Amino acid sequence: MTVPPDAPPSWPVQSGRFDLGDLQTLSGETIPGAFLSWKTHGTLNAARDNVILYPTSYSAQHPDIEWLIGPDFVLDPARWFIVIPDMFGNGLSSSPSNTPAYPTLVTAWDNVQAQRRLLSEVFGIERLACVYGWSMGAQQAYHWAALFPDDVARIVVNCGSARTAEHNRVFLKSLMATLEAAPEHTGNGRFSAPPAAAIRAFGRIYAGWALSQDFYREGLHLSALGAPDLETFLRTDWEERYARRDAADLYAQLRCWEAGDISANPLYDGDFVAALRAIRARVLLLPGATDLYFRVADNEAEMANLGRAELLPIPSIWGHRAGNPVQNPEDTAFLRDNVRRWLDLD
């Protein structure tokens, strides 16, 4: 079944804003008047045990990731109460674009701690059936399992890792340097005006990493995504995508992504192996076979220290976007079938 993007859902939805007050971050800085934007799909049952947390990914806002929610899609709102918290820095929750004194670094730790308060104080939820995340959302899923091992039954790590790899950091630093080179950059990831030329370069760098060499070799940017030529594809799918976001928000979330590490906190004090071994949740690792950010090898290395985990690479040439296959029915079916199977496990 295909649902038009503007069709209203046939299941209950709610949305709101959760005010956290002045929130001290892991770095010791403070988000003044911090808040989370959120949206839910489905109905919370009386036992409060049908909850899936679905965090957002880099630069995404909740409308961007709702496409996989539906009776015939990956997350079924007839069965699950799906809570989408917008990440700090995405423009809907506290971000540089709406909080002038936004800290230098806000981490996945900070996001997960705030999300826990949202679930508890707004919905009375203390335990999660699953945390499902793609990319930076997958990093948050891993953080949930490590920081609250008794309160998470399952996680789905879709094209993500427990710690940002060095090669991944090279990509992130190239994007930060591109934004920093803009004449509009005033320092520390802030800008006097939209850096249009830098965002154009930013989008083109991203396009070379997000999709695999095989994807371009097969011409899928033309045949599957409908672009008439490469130049149009780079402009409409990448430049314009990031031009819709505030540059300071993009920069802040790059810093968050680069700092991703489930052990970089007072609970584990940098002991990465101990953080992995503390996870009690069932872990489904779904790396993209051709993902250039979060490699299959990263998840293979994590498996050695996970108690209950399955590694199932997505057999796709769509690179990182195999895990967010809004325009790719074959990879959508792979995710749907395997995630639903995982959710049925005791």
Side-chain angles (χ1 to χ4, degrees):
M1 179 182 72
T2 301
V3 178
D6 57 351
S10 58
W11 53 86
V13 296
Q14 305 174 63
S15 59
R17 165 177 160 152
F18 175 57
D19 291 307
L20 294 142
D22 293 343
L23 183 69
Q24 186 172 17
T25 66
L26 185 65
S27 67
E29 301 174 273
T30 299
I31 306 175
F35 62 92
L36 288 180
S37 165
W38 56 267
K39 188 169 182 180
T40 67
H41 292 256
T43 302
L44 179 62
N45 65 17
R48 290 181 166 80
D49 62 0
N50 68 328
V51 182
I52 294 179
L53 189 74
Y54 180 22
T56 57
S57 51
Y58 180 73
S59 82
Q61 299 176 345
H62 65 256
D64 301 318
I65 67 169
E66 293 175 297
W67 69 270
L68 59 67
I69 298 171
D72 299 322
F73 289 92
V74 179
L75 302 178
D76 182 1
R79 178 181 180 187
W80 303 106
F81 182 62
I82 303 155
V83 183
I84 307 176
D86 284 289
M87 277 191 74
F88 289 132
N90 81 342
L92 295 183
S93 293
S94 291
S95 307
S97 60
N98 56 39
T99 306
Y102 192 82
T104 302
L105 176 62
V106 176
T107 64
W109 161 284
D110 301 314
N111 276 277
V112 167
Q113 298 290 340
Q115 291 163 13
R116 185 169 176 83
R117 283 186 54 189
L118 165 69
L119 293 171
S120 177
E121 296 176 31
V122 175
F123 301 105
I125 296 167
E126 301 297 336
R127 181 170 169 79
L128 296 170
C130 183
V131 186
Y132 176 100
W134 172 67
S135 194
M136 283 187 81
Q139 291 183 313
Q140 292 168 80
Y142 243 138
H143 275 74
W144 262 96
L147 299 180
F148 309 113
D150 294 323
D151 299 327
V152 181
R154 307 171 191 82
I155 63 171
V156 176
V157 176
N158 179 354
C159 295
S161 64
R163 180 169 60 188
T164 301
E166 288 294 286
H167 187 244
N168 195 339
R169 294 179 67 224
V170 171
F171 161 69
L172 299 171
K173 286 181 178 296
S174 72
L175 293 178
M176 284 188 266
T178 300
L179 295 177
E180 290 163 358
E184 299 88 353
H185 184 239
T186 58
N188 201 30
R190 299 303 176 98
F191 302 85
S192 60
I199 290 295
R200 182 170 183 264
F202 183 104
R204 287 171 178 248
I205 293 169
Y206 224 112
W209 281 74
L211 295 157
S212 77
Q213 297 94 333
D214 297 326
F215 173 92
Y216 286 107
R217 184 180 299 111
E218 293 296 321
L220 294 180
H221 57 299
L222 310 177
S223 61
L225 298 181
D229 51 57
L230 178 61
E231 189 65 23
T232 301
F233 175 70
L234 293 174
R235 184 182 73 253
T236 59
D237 278 54
W238 298 98
E239 294 175 26
E240 293 175 4
R241 175 197 304 264
Y242 290 111
R244 292 193 291 268
R245 297 290 185 251
D246 185 278
D249 292 351
L250 293 173
Y251 192 95
Q253 286 204 317
L254 290 174
R255 281 184 165 168
C256 179
W257 183 346
E258 185 192 14
D261 183 343
I262 62 170
S263 68
N265 53 66
L267 186 59
Y268 297 110
D269 196 26
D271 190 333
F272 186 62
V273 170
L276 286 170
R277 289 179 176 175
I279 293 173
R280 297 189 181 94
R282 288 185 176 273
V283 180
L284 178 60
L285 298 167
L286 292 171
T290 55
D291 191 341
L292 299 178
Y293 306 133
F294 301 101
R295 303 292 293 145
V296 174
D298 295 329
N299 289 159
E300 287 175 339
E302 293 160 356
M303 283 282 290
N305 292 296
L306 293 172
R308 296 188 299 170
E310 178 180 343
L311 177 65
L312 190 63
I314 306 168
S316 172
I317 65 171
W318 282 65
H320 189 56
R321 284 177 62 175
N324 185 40
V326 61
Q327 296 162 297
N328 179 353
E330 183 176 350
D331 290 349
T332 298
F334 182 90
L335 287 180
R336 182 191 62 231
D337 294 346
N338 285 288
V339 170
R340 290 192 171 206
R341 172 185 60 82
W342 192 251
L343 292 173
D344 285 336
L345 295 176
D346 293 330

